[in-house]
Amino acid sequence: MHYCLRTLWVTTLAGVCSLFLLFATCGCSKEQEADRLKSQLASLEQFLKSKGDSVYHADDLRFVPTKLGTPIVPEDGQEVELRYVLFMFNGQAPVPLETNDTVWAREYKLRVLSANEGPLRYVYGQTKAFTGLEQGLRAFAQRDGEGWLGIPSYLGYASAKLGAVKPNTPLLCLWHLSEPAPSQDEGD
């Protein structure tokens, strides 16, 4: 019986110590998160300034247009065609990850997977994407516009590792939005 009580006490003490350590590091973790976000936003902003005159903000997203289009106010159900190149950003240079555009594929030395080839028909409120891209497509939508979207890690893949993307890596997305081409059914 004494052994069981001692084991219970040691287990409880270990649990209390673990909780203490968890709570003690939470403040530090939040501080570290704030510092990481500040650093990511500064490096994204610096990179984006090299791509255009004005960097626009929507919360923690950053955007620089490289070709002005007609601003649109997206509504749920509205469709656009999205050509893109997605990059991870290490603070120095963007590293291309994927694209659905053959011209950009040649430029950034990427292979277009046949499943991704051609513009993505993005339907607001229906097509699922990571949070930063969804928010960026709402905040900075321009028909026939092109630009760079800077996405801090918490709006991208956050602390998840996804393929070559390490946890807490900010992303960049070069995109071109256009009206969707009529489908074959619409022409009949």
Side-chain angles (χ1 to χ4, degrees), residues 1-12:
M1 185 103 154
H2 179 66
Y3 176 75
C4 288
L5 286 175
R6 192 174 111 175
T7 303
L8 178 64
W9 182 82
V10 169
T11 304
T12 303

Side-chain angles (χ1 to χ4, degrees), residues 101-121:
D101 183 79
T102 54
V103 173
W104 282 339
R106 284 190 298 276
E107 183 177 343
Y108 293 105
K109 297 173 180 48
L110 287 170
R111 193 180 67 178
V112 178
L113 301 174
S114 59
N116 291 342
E117 191 170 355
L120 169 69
R121 284 192 102 124

Side-chain angles (χ1 to χ4, degrees), residues 83-139:
R83 291 186 304 118
Y84 70 90
V85 184
L86 185 65
F87 302 83
M88 63 181 169
F89 187 60
N90 62 15
Q92 302 295 318
V95 177
L97 296 170
E98 68 177 47
T99 185
N100 65 348
D101 183 79
T102 54
V103 173
W104 282 339
R106 284 190 298 276
E107 183 177 343
Y108 293 105
K109 297 173 180 48
L110 287 170
R111 193 180 67 178
V112 178
L113 301 174
S114 59
N116 291 342
E117 191 170 355
L120 169 69
R121 284 192 102 124
Y122 184 88
V123 182
Y124 287 95
Q126 294 175 21
T127 304
K128 296 296 177 206
F130 57 86
T131 304
L133 183 59
E134 287 182 355
Q135 290 177 3
L137 285 168
R138 285 196 180 271

Side-chain angles (χ1 to χ4, degrees), residues 30 33-46 48 55-64 89 130-137 139-140 148-156 169-173:
K30 287 185 182 202
E33 283 295 317
D35 288 345
R36 179 183 352 214
L37 177 60
K38 185 177 178 182
S39 172
Q40 287 180 4
L41 291 175
S43 63
L44 286 168
E45 187 122 4
Q46 182 178 4
L48 292 172
V55 177
Y56 298 94
H57 299 210
D59 297 320
D60 289 331
L61 295 172
R62 303 294 185 260
F63 182 75
V64 63
F89 187 60
F130 57 86
T131 304
L133 183 59
E134 287 182 355
Q135 290 177 3
L137 285 168
F140 305 112
W148 287 85
L149 177 68
I151 306 164
S153 62
Y154 84 94
L155 292 173
T169 299
L171 302 171
L172 289 162
C173 185

Side-chain angles (χ1 to χ4, degrees), residues 78-81 120-122 143 178-183 186:
Q78 183 177 355
E79 281 186 45
V80 292
E81 284 190 348
L120 169 69
R121 284 192 102 124
Y122 184 88
R143 185 173 292 108
S178 59
E179 286 287 330
S183 67
E186 292 175 29

